[in-house]
Amino acid sequence: MSEFIPASTKFVQLPEKVQMKCGALLSGVRIAYETYGQLTSSRDNVILILTGLSPDAHVASNKANPQCGWWEAMVGAGKAIDTRYWYVICVNSLGSCKGSTGASSINPSTGEPYRLSFPKLAIEDIADTTAQAIFLLGFDKIACVIGLSMGGMTALSMLSRYPGIATHHINISSAIHALPFSIAIRSLQRESIRNDPNWNQGNYDKDIFPLNGMLLARKLGLISYRSAKEWEQRFGRNIFSLEISSNFEFNQFEIESYLQHRAHDFINCFDPNCYLYLSQSMDHFDLAENYNGDIHASLENISLRRALIIGVETDILFPIHQQRQIAKGLERGGTRVEFYALNSLQGHDAFLVDIDEFGPKIQSFLSAL
């Protein structure tokens, strides 16, 4: 599979080999990013956005690429993250297939895609390479780092590993580690990909592709990203179509049709091996790993002026008590914390769609910096 890189994406080439958490050295690493807004002469208006598992660096439309970004409603002139005042950098994670080095990238030593020869990926590796990219772009300190879902894990790791790299933080629908339910869901997603015969131990191409495995993995993800209440209100028990085969009726409900359509959209723009690597990195991350499992100590060690922590009551993937845990831990360490538990219907994906709830809180926090 090839990489899926927006036309407006730029790159930072890391000059030295990257020492990964697993011990491997990775050569020729590049990190993909996009920028929005204007940098002030004092270079003090930088906001860094760290994404979830699947997004690219194209967070919003810009002159180089007018196509709507994945957080178009939130980033731009006059929006909650107002690019008339802020210089926004959105970074694509190491391990992705959206421009940063990952399993679908060409291994410079072989001239072939890494595939499963790519080293085991950790959230700490994503945090390290993101920080290195920011330093190479000429920033010793940023005003605020915003982490969403997996990006919130990356942000906490980076803030812990690089004290002083940011003075403010917005953490949305994330956690210091994955819970058993989330691990179970992602384990089934990975299993569905690996059990597809066309996965072929990672040696697939566009003609022989683990389609069914990726479809099932994405459907499982979509189910966990939203809430049961939303599914009920949006689709109910409505029948989309009725197919009769061998005297057996296959009822396709509207929710089945929706999942099928959305899953097909996703598999056309994401590499299966990259999905496996990023998914596993989330499950293995634990901010308290270097603190003998002491959750409070791991959060208290992070030094910030202020933080905004937002969670959603209907989120089953990153339950609200995990965001409350982050808020309490940072507060115990001396950070001034604002915490919101929102009643959005859309579950984990709410930050992408419920702009009326998320936007004003983010805008208010940033306007006070």
Side-chain angles (χ1 to χ4, degrees):
M1 290 291 289
S2 60
E3 295 178 294
F4 307 91
I5 308 171
S8 47
T9 298
K10 297 176 281 189
F11 306 95
V12 176
Q13 194 75 37
L14 304 190
E16 299 179 357
K17 291 182 179 181
V18 172
Q19 174 78 56
M20 300 185 73
K21 184 181 179 182
C22 67
L25 291 174
L26 192 61
S27 302
V29 173
R30 73 176 186 181
I31 299 299
Y33 73 100
E34 292 196 17
T35 61
Y36 306 80
Q38 297 295 320
L39 190 62
T40 61
S41 57
S42 55
R43 301 170 67 83
D44 61 354
N45 66 328
V46 178
I47 288 178
L48 172 64
I49 296 179
L50 303 177
T51 77
L53 183 151
S54 59
D56 53 33
H58 189 64
V59 68
S61 55
N62 52 29
K63 291 181 179 179
N65 185 357
Q67 184 176 355
C68 287
W70 57 267
W71 219 14
E72 185 74 24
M74 193 70 75
V75 179
K79 299 177 183 178
I81 304 174
D82 197 335
T83 51
R84 294 174 302 179
Y85 308 106
W86 296 106
Y87 183 70
V88 177
I89 305 173
C90 184
V91 170
N92 177 240
S93 300
L94 179 76
S96 178
C97 54
K98 303 296 182 73
S100 294
T101 300
S104 63
S105 303
I106 299 299
N107 182 341
S109 66
T110 67
E112 298 290 333
Y114 279 102
R115 303 185 188 275
L116 297 192
S117 69
F118 194 76
K120 181 180 179 181
L121 180 70
I123 291 293
E124 291 88 345
D125 301 323
I126 302 174
D128 287 346
T129 51
T130 297
Q132 291 175 43
I134 292 299
F135 296 149
L136 287 169
L137 288 172
F139 303 105
D140 295 324
K141 180 177 289 188
I142 52 181
C144 184
V145 55
I146 301 176
L148 311 141
S149 187
M150 185 189 83
M153 290 178 162
T154 304
L156 290 173
S157 179
M158 187 175 71
L159 291 167
S160 178
R161 294 166 72 82
Y162 298 88
I165 193 171
T167 51
H168 301 83
H169 175 41
I170 299 176
N171 193 288
I172 299 176
S173 299
S174 192
I176 68 162
H177 57 218
L179 295 177
F181 175 79
S182 305
I183 294 171
I185 291 292
R186 285 192 287 268
S187 175
L188 288 173
Q189 291 175 300
R190 295 192 295 270
E191 185 177 337
S192 69
I193 294 171
R194 291 185 291 107
N195 283 345
D196 189 317
N198 286 340
W199 180 60
N200 191 27
Q201 298 299 308
N203 296 305
Y204 50 81
D205 56 34
K206 64 180 181 179
D207 297 318
I208 303 175
F209 181 79
L211 174 66
N212 292 327
M214 280 292 284
L215 284 173
L216 182 55
R218 184 57 172 175
K219 288 177 184 179
L220 283 167
L222 288 168
I223 292 169
S224 67
Y225 297 156
R226 298 298 180 104
S227 72
K229 187 178 292 186
E230 184 192 7
W231 296 131
E232 184 177 353
Q233 290 191 12
R234 286 181 66 181
F235 301 108
R237 290 180 49 80
N238 297 330
I239 299 293
F240 176 75
S241 66
L242 178 66
E243 178 185 345
I244 301 177
S245 176
S246 302
N247 297 319
F248 190 87
E249 294 183 355
F250 291 92
N251 292 322
Q252 187 177 46
F253 290 91
E254 284 188 358
I255 189 171
E256 293 180 88
S257 175
Y258 170 83
L259 292 174
Q260 185 77 358
H261 175 73
R262 289 290 305 278
H264 270 283
D265 285 346
F266 177 76
I267 65 172
N268 290 325
C269 62
F270 212 89
D271 177 74
N273 286 335
C274 290
Y275 192 94
L276 296 174
Y277 275 89
L278 289 166
S279 169
Q280 183 172 257
S281 73
M282 295 174 69
D283 289 347
H284 284 272
F285 175 66
D286 186 354
L287 186 68
E289 181 181 31
N290 294 325
Y291 294 87
N292 296 317
D294 188 333
I295 294 170
H296 298 302
S298 68
L299 288 164
E300 291 170 13
N301 181 62
I302 295 175
S303 178
L304 295 163
R305 293 179 190 169
R306 295 177 60 224
L308 171 64
I309 315 298
I310 306 178
V312 176
E313 296 281 3
T314 57
D315 189 342
I316 62 173
L317 200 60
F318 288 80
I320 189 65
H321 71 83
Q322 292 195 288
Q323 293 87 58
R324 188 174 285 112
Q325 182 181 64
I326 294 171
K328 289 182 177 180
L330 291 177
E331 195 168 43
R332 286 175 55 152
T335 299
R336 290 175 53 198
V337 176
E338 295 178 42
F339 171 71
Y340 295 98
L342 304 183
N343 290 316
S344 299
L345 196 63
Q346 296 89 353
H348 186 66
D349 265 0
F351 63 83
L352 294 173
V353 291
D354 195 356
I355 304 303
D356 289 342
E357 281 289 338
F358 282 82
K361 294 169 179 59
I362 293 173
Q363 186 174 38
S364 175
F365 180 83
L366 293 177
S367 66
L369 301 192

